[in-house]
Amino acid sequence: MIKFLDLQAITAMHGDEYRAAMNRVMESGWFLQGKETERFEADYSRYIGTEHCVAVANGLDALYLLLRGYKEMGVMKDGDEIIVPANTFIATILAITRNHLVPVLVEPTFEHLEIDIDRIEKAITPKTKGVMTVHLYGRLAYNDQLGEICKKHHLKLMEDCAQSHGCRFTILHSSLFTLHSSRTGSLGDAAAHSFYPGKNLGAFGDAGAVTTNDAELAATIRALANYGSQKKYVFQYVGVNSRMSEIDAAVLDVKLKYLDEDNRKRQQLAAYYYEHITNPLITLPKRLPDENNVYHLFPVFCERRDQLQAFLKEHGIETLIHYPVPPHQQECYQEWNARSYPITEKIHRQELSLPMNQALSQAEAEEVVRWLNAFS
């Protein structure tokens, strides 16, 4: 069986370093809000290219607290609108509605799978206060046009980087012959990150973070995540308890050293998929330059998706669907069920994720391609 994601194999790649990091925490006797979290926050903010990183308990909390921070600062209020891709994992939407804000769903393009930036300006109203772009599947969902739209309309540009650890946006200034490159998580005003175990940068449990250059926002989020307290037993906000464990921080700091190397392995495997999947029944998304895609997932599309998944399973290849039901068709948002987002619905109806991770061997990738091309 070729596993979709073999976390045992991934962990074994640097097992001794993880054990040493966990032992260091155990011997310290300090398990929350200590030196390991401080170290990871500093290292991750440096890696992303922002001045601040606030570690929290998980990716959904990072999204929620980012928006909540803006509300506490008076930047947003109940009923304000946030533009968000219709094609996303539901956490992005949950964070908006949980803050009593209104998601304005905008279709993606089928070619790129990310929010259609050409549609954003038409969705802006006097109540719009921000855009939450999502780098879904590990693919870059930003360009200069998006940045200019947000500046023009005085909107906060927020990134959901749950699947894009290490992804870059690069500009070549031909007149000056200079190259400018920034990582996702530093492209807008603030960004939320998830370190769920299956991510390119994954903890041993749930964990997350917010990155930003806004010192006031970072301080507000840090207080909100600590029961609303900036000083012990003094509570400025009605906060929550959302803190990263010292063990997860220590493990993530080890993994961060290898993130770019791991992403390069994913990019090499993706290149093989792109160059060797030839079945006309299977559609691949537009190939991006490697720096614009860290391949958290490798999605393919097939009108007979369920039969394709069953065929691959029969031949020992595990796949997953990301995601079978789009947010607007979920029971928890029944008021949206009658809406039509045909591109999003097509993506969710046809999408199938192939095995893709740094522990996947070349021989396994060849076997995946072999059976994909044999499907009829």
Side-chain angles (χ1 to χ4, degrees):
M1 169 67 73
I2 298 175
K3 294 183 179 180
F4 175 76
L5 179 64
D6 191 341
L7 285 177
Q8 286 178 305
I10 290 172
T11 303
M13 293 171 72
H14 307 293
D16 289 343
E17 289 186 73
Y18 301 142
R19 281 184 281 272
M22 291 188 291
N23 285 337
R24 186 173 66 243
V25 174
M26 289 188 290
E27 290 169 4
S28 76
W30 196 286
F31 304 118
L32 284 170
Q33 295 181 300
K35 292 181 180 179
E36 301 292 344
T37 301
E38 289 179 5
R39 181 183 298 113
F40 174 69
E41 287 180 335
D43 289 345
Y44 194 61
S45 63
R46 188 180 307 111
Y47 176 84
I48 294 297
T50 57
E51 294 180 12
H52 305 281
C53 171
V54 183
V56 297
N58 55 69
L60 176 55
D61 280 4
L63 288 162
Y64 166 74
L65 289 166
L66 191 169
L67 291 163
R68 175 75 187 280
Y70 278 135
K71 289 187 71 181
E72 294 294 348
M73 291 165 59
V75 175
M76 299 172 188
K77 64 181 185 305
D78 288 4
D80 283 342
E81 296 174 351
I82 305 297
I83 292 173
V84 65
N87 175 37
T88 185
F89 181 57
I90 201 166
T92 322
I93 312 295
L94 291 172
I96 297 170
T97 59
R98 185 179 166 192
N99 273 294
H100 306 289
L101 300 167
V102 179
V104 176
L105 306 185
V106 171
E107 285 266 64
T109 67
F110 189 74
E111 184 181 28
H112 288 279
L113 309 177
E114 310 298 330
I115 193 168
D116 186 346
I117 294 172
D118 289 336
R119 295 176 183 247
I120 288 177
E121 208 154 12
K122 295 177 183 176
I124 296 171
T125 76
K127 289 188 173 183
T128 307
K129 291 297 187 292
V131 175
M132 177 72 78
T133 194
V134 183
H135 306 290
L136 203 64
Y137 313 117
R139 299 170 63 90
L140 181 71
Y142 174 88
N143 62 23
D144 282 336
Q145 180 187 357
L146 175 57
E148 290 303 318
I149 288 170
C150 290
K151 289 177 183 177
K152 175 182 174 181
H153 295 277
H154 307 289
L155 305 177
K156 291 297 183 184
L157 175 55
M158 300 162 286
E159 301 173 78
D160 182 340
C161 298
Q163 300 184 2
S164 68
H165 310 101
C167 185
R168 286 184 176 274
F169 170 64
T170 304
I171 305 175
L172 178 62
H173 301 281
S174 57
S175 61
L176 301 176
F177 300 101
T178 59
L179 190 69
H180 174 73
S181 181
S182 300
R183 296 189 193 274
T184 57
S186 69
L187 302 176
D189 295 287
H193 307 253
S194 168
F195 306 120
Y196 180 77
K199 299 298 173 67
N200 292 38
L201 181 62
F204 282 0
D206 273 320
V210 176
T211 54
T212 183
N213 288 322
D214 187 330
E216 182 183 1
L217 178 64
T220 303
I221 291 171
R222 193 175 296 280
L224 286 167
N226 187 33
Y227 297 96
S229 173
Q230 290 178 317
K231 180 181 179 182
K232 194 169 184 178
Y233 301 133
V234 177
F235 302 93
Q236 183 177 356
Y237 310 108
V238 178
V240 298
N241 176 16
S242 182
R243 299 176 295 202
M244 183 184 291
S245 76
E246 285 285 277
I247 283 182
D248 280 317
V251 166
L252 286 168
D253 211 47
V254 172
K255 287 194 171 189
L256 183 59
K257 296 188 300 181
Y258 300 103
L259 178 57
D260 289 343
E261 176 185 332
D262 290 343
N263 285 342
R264 281 192 292 272
K265 177 63 184 297
R266 289 172 181 261
Q267 290 160 349
Q268 291 166 5
L269 291 166
Y272 183 81
Y273 281 162
Y274 269 110
E275 292 161 13
H276 292 85
I277 296 172
T278 57
N279 191 327
L281 298 176
I282 297 169
T283 300
L284 278 61
K286 182 178 176 64
R287 187 174 179 180
L288 302 178
D290 277 350
E291 65 266 21
N292 299 152
N293 195 344
V294 293
Y295 296 99
H296 171 60
L297 300 172
F298 194 98
V300 298
F301 300 88
C302 181
E303 291 183 0
R304 294 163 49 215
R305 187 263 312 280
D306 294 345
Q307 293 98 312
L308 174 59
Q309 185 176 42
F311 177 80
L312 293 173
K313 182 179 180 181
E314 179 184 344
H315 291 93
I317 298 166
E318 188 177 40
T319 59
L320 289 179
I321 297 170
H322 293 89
Y323 302 91
V325 182
H328 72 278
Q329 293 181 338
Q330 295 287 349
E331 184 178 354
C332 62
Y333 291 119
Q334 291 183 28
E335 65 275 22
W336 301 347
N337 288 175
R339 294 185 185 181
S340 175
Y341 297 97
I343 300 172
T344 294
E345 290 158 19
K346 179 180 178 180
I347 289 171
H348 288 247
R349 187 171 60 249
Q350 295 189 8
E351 195 276 346
L352 187 67
S353 297
L354 304 182
M356 169 55 65
N357 60 81
Q358 63 269 32
L360 191 73
S361 70
Q362 178 64 29
E364 288 173 322
E366 291 173 5
E367 189 73 357
V368 172
V369 169
R370 174 191 170 198
W371 290 113
L372 281 168
N373 288 337
F375 177 71
S376 61

